[in-house]
Amino acid sequence: MQGGSSVAHTLDLRLASQGENTLDYVVGLYYIDQDLLSVQQNILRGFKRWWDAADPIGLGPDFANGDVDFDYRRSESYREYAAFGELTWNLTDAFPLTGGLRYFDNKFENDTYLALPALDWNGPGVNPFFVTEADDLLFKLNGSWKFADGYLAYATVAEGYRRGGANAVPMVNPFGNLPDYLTYDSDTATNYEIGIKGQAGAMQ
C-alpha cells in the first residue's frame, strides 16, 4: 500500500513598464508554500501466523511482531519568499543593456518515520527531523546588439540557484545508510553565455 498528497500555493506578482522607453523595468514578488506527504506500507499477510507455526515453542529468535514488514511516512514542507527586479537601459534601438537582482529566503522541513516492524531489526524505528534554511542575492547582466536586420549578438552573465532537500533512504538495519545521505545540499552556478541569434536569409 502506498500513497501521498501534494498541496502547493504560489503567488507571482509582476509590474512591468509599457511602451518604448529609455528605461524599461520589471519588478515583482514571488511566494510558494508547498506541503508533500508520502506513505508506504508493505504487508506480508500471514507472516506472523507462519512464524509462530514454524516455531511453536519459541526456540528461534522472537522477532516476528506482525505482518507489516515496512512502514514509511514522510512529511515535507517548503516555503520561499522572493523579490526581484530588472532594469533595461536602451542606449539606442539596437543596443539595450539589462541588469537584474533577485533576493530569496527559503525554509525546508522534513519529518520522516521509517521502521521494519515485522522483523524489528532495529527496535522501534527511526524518526529523523531536520530543518534547512537559505537566503541569497542573485544577479543578471545582459547586453545585446542588433547589428543587422534579423540578427542579434548578445552576452549574458547570470547566477543560478537550486534548493536542497531530503532523500528517501532507509535508516534501519540491515539496510541503514549513513545519516549524511538523508539530505542533499543546495547548489549554485554562474552562467556565461555569448552568441548570435538570427534567421537564415535575413541578410540577403
Side-chain angles (χ1 to χ4, degrees):
M1 177 184 67
Q2 61 181 4
S5 63
S6 174
V7 178
H9 300 91
T10 60
L11 177 66
D12 192 344
L13 298 177
R14 295 171 183 253
L15 177 63
S17 59
Q18 295 183 350
E20 297 182 358
N21 308 291
T22 302
L23 293 176
D24 293 318
Y25 63 85
V26 176
V27 294
L29 298 173
Y30 176 78
Y31 169 72
I32 183 170
D33 180 346
Q34 184 180 46
D35 294 304
L36 301 174
L37 176 65
S38 304
V39 178
Q40 182 175 346
Q41 190 177 73
N42 294 340
I43 301 175
L44 297 175
R45 301 216 178 265
F47 175 75
K48 173 64 173 173
R49 287 194 303 166
W50 171 83
W51 184 266
D52 292 342
D55 187 18
I57 60 175
L59 296 178
D62 185 18
F63 57 31
N65 299 315
D67 291 348
V68 179
D69 71 321
F70 182 78
D71 194 7
Y72 173 80
R73 295 185 299 276
R74 177 178 172 190
S75 175
E76 298 175 83
S77 175
Y78 180 72
R79 311 284 186 274
E80 180 179 332
Y81 303 87
F84 57 88
E86 188 173 282
L87 183 65
T88 298
W89 180 17
N90 298 298
L91 296 173
T92 69
D93 291 340
F95 189 41
L97 293 174
T98 299
L101 294 172
R102 183 179 188 273
Y103 173 78
F104 68 87
D105 187 311
N106 65 41
K107 182 178 181 179
F108 174 72
E109 296 184 9
N110 177 88
D111 189 3
T112 301
Y113 171 76
L114 177 60
L116 305 174
L119 301 180
D120 199 16
W121 275 311
N122 198 30
V126 293
N127 191 191
F129 174 82
F130 54 83
V131 178
T132 62
E133 298 181 80
D135 64 276
D136 202 355
L137 181 66
L138 309 176
F139 75 89
K140 169 188 173 181
L141 295 174
N142 171 265
S144 59
W145 174 38
K146 300 175 184 177
F147 62 88
D149 186 23
Y151 279 86
L152 175 74
Y154 68 93
T156 300
V157 181
E159 289 183 315
Y161 168 84
R162 181 172 58 180
R163 73 177 182 91
N167 292 311
V169 296
M171 300 298 297
V172 181
N173 291 328
F175 310 110
N177 285 266
L178 295 175
D180 292 346
Y181 294 155
L182 276 174
T183 63
Y184 57 91
D185 294 333
S186 61
D187 52 22
T188 59
T190 302
N191 177 62
Y192 301 90
E193 186 175 352
I194 186 170
I196 295 177
K197 295 181 179 179
Q199 57 188 15
M203 299 184 66
Q204 295 180 0

